[in-house]
């Protein structure tokens, strides 16, 4: 869904930009001159988990992860380092819901956990842009973030034996992406597609064992795709 929406939005603005180029109209000609500028973003995401396993007393361990569409929203602070390189601070919120099915559990009634996550997302992003071509400017980006999960249940004493799936609240992630700047008459619009990947293990083990939910898991970390729409 995100890719189709991104392609549709991109084609719309590419068509607009192409028309403007034929007329040789350059919007916001001084936009990139200031050292610092600000903006905001919003978008959609679909986040799952990458799960790897370790030897345990549970045979054929497997966790199936399905996710619903979530949203992301935040602010932008942009510092120009070079005419083609910017560093950006993009604090915001990421919210989504995932369903985990533990296919190796003995009791089907205990096999499903619904995990709702709301992250405070604090990324530092490096943006590498081409030279501007009239009203468009493609770019690639990459960076790392600190993410705090408000709904991790890390401090909850109840664990999966009480029906409560827990995660570590503080995590580090990295993200990469591609996008295009569109210089419109009154603002710059920048759609991008981004991938986000956890560096640290988000799983908090159960208090006691053997735990069919956490013992077989060696690493569980967020993997997601964002449709990111920036307005500057």
């Amino acid at each position: 869904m995100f890719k189709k929406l991104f392609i549709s939005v991109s084609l719309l603005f590419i068509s607009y930009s192409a028309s403007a180029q034929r007329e040789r109209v350059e919007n916001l000609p001084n936009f990139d001159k200031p050292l610092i500028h600000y903006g905001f973003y919003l978008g959609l995401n679909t986040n799952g988990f990458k799960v790897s396993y370790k030897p345990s007393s549970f045979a054929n361990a497997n966790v199936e992860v399905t996710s619903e569409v979530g949203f992301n929203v935040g602010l932008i602070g942009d510092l120009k380092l070079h005419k083609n390189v910017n560093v950006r601070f993009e604090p915001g919120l990421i919210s989504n819901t995932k369903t985990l099915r533990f296919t190796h559990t003995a009791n089907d009634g205990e096999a499903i956990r619904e995990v709702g996550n709301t992250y405070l997302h604090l990324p530092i992003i490096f943006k590498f842009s081409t030279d501007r071509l009239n009203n468009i400017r493609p770019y690639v980006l990459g960076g790392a973030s600190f993410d705090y999960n408000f709904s991790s249940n890390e401090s909850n004493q109840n664990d999966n034996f009480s029906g409560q799936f827990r995660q570590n609240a503080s995590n580090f992630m990295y993200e990469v992406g591609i996008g295009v700047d569109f210089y419109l008459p009154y603002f710059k619009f920048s759609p991008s597609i981004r991938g986000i990947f956890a560096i640290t293990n988000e799983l908090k083990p159960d208090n006691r064992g053997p735990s069919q939910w956490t013992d077989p898991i060696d690493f569980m970390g967020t993997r997601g795709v964002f449709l990111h729409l920036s307005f500057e």
Side-chain angles (χ1 to χ4, degrees):
M1 185 184 86
F2 299 139
K3 290 184 179 179
K4 290 181 180 179
L5 181 59
F6 176 72
I7 291 171
S8 298
V9 171
S10 298
L11 289 176
L12 174 65
F13 281 93
I14 288 173
S15 176
Y16 171 87
S17 181
S19 174
Q21 290 173 32
R22 287 195 297 269
E23 299 173 5
R24 308 301 297 175
V25 175
E26 186 174 85
N27 297 321
L28 305 176
N30 298 317
F31 184 91
D32 296 317
K33 291 183 179 179
L35 183 65
I36 298 173
H37 72 266
Y38 302 94
F40 69 94
Y41 65 87
L42 51 86
L44 302 174
N45 68 72
T46 176
N47 283 355
F49 284 126
K50 174 182 171 59
V51 183
S52 59
Y53 304 92
K54 62 185 178 183
S56 72
S57 58
F58 300 96
N60 302 315
N62 184 58
V63 182
E64 296 177 352
V65 183
T66 57
S67 61
E68 299 179 5
V69 175
F71 72 90
N72 39 291
V73 61
L75 302 175
I76 299 169
D78 184 288
L79 172 66
K80 182 172 70 174
L81 302 180
H82 179 270
K83 70 183 185 72
N84 298 108
V85 182
N86 297 63
V87 61
R88 298 159 70 88
F89 181 50
E90 299 183 351
L93 294 175
I94 302 172
S95 180
N96 56 73
T97 299
K98 296 176 277 287
T99 300
L100 310 181
R101 181 174 178 82
F102 300 82
T103 61
H104 58 279
T105 57
N107 188 334
D108 286 342
E110 300 176 346
I112 295 176
R113 294 286 184 268
E114 187 172 280
V115 182
N117 291 148
T118 299
Y119 294 94
L120 173 63
H121 185 53
L122 301 174
I124 300 294
I125 304 293
F126 287 90
K127 179 180 177 182
F128 303 91
S129 306
T130 67
D131 289 339
R132 177 173 172 172
L133 177 61
N134 290 331
N135 291 317
I136 64 172
R137 195 179 193 192
Y139 60 84
V140 298
L141 53 84
S145 65
F146 171 78
D147 293 76
Y148 185 84
N149 187 352
F150 290 111
S151 49
S152 68
N153 292 304
E154 180 181 43
S155 59
N156 194 333
Q157 293 304 307
N158 294 325
D159 59 14
N160 280 291
F161 290 95
S162 302
Q164 183 64 67
F165 187 82
R166 302 182 301 175
Q167 299 169 260
N168 294 317
S170 299
N171 303 282
F172 291 93
M173 305 187 190
Y174 71 92
E175 61 186 273
V176 294
I178 59 172
V180 181
D181 289 333
F182 295 99
Y183 295 81
L184 305 181
Y186 300 106
F187 62 92
K188 185 174 74 173
F189 173 63
S190 302
S192 63
I193 290 289
R194 304 185 182 191
I196 189 168
F197 309 90
I199 300 171
T200 51
N201 193 350
E202 296 183 62
L203 178 71
K204 184 175 177 64
D206 288 333
N207 297 326
R208 61 187 173 90
S211 168
Q212 58 189 350
W213 300 277
T214 63
D215 282 5
I217 298 176
D218 184 48
F219 177 88
M220 177 178 283
T222 294
R223 295 289 188 272
V225 178
F226 289 5
L227 171 62
H228 190 98
L229 305 176
S230 299
F231 301 83
E232 302 170 44

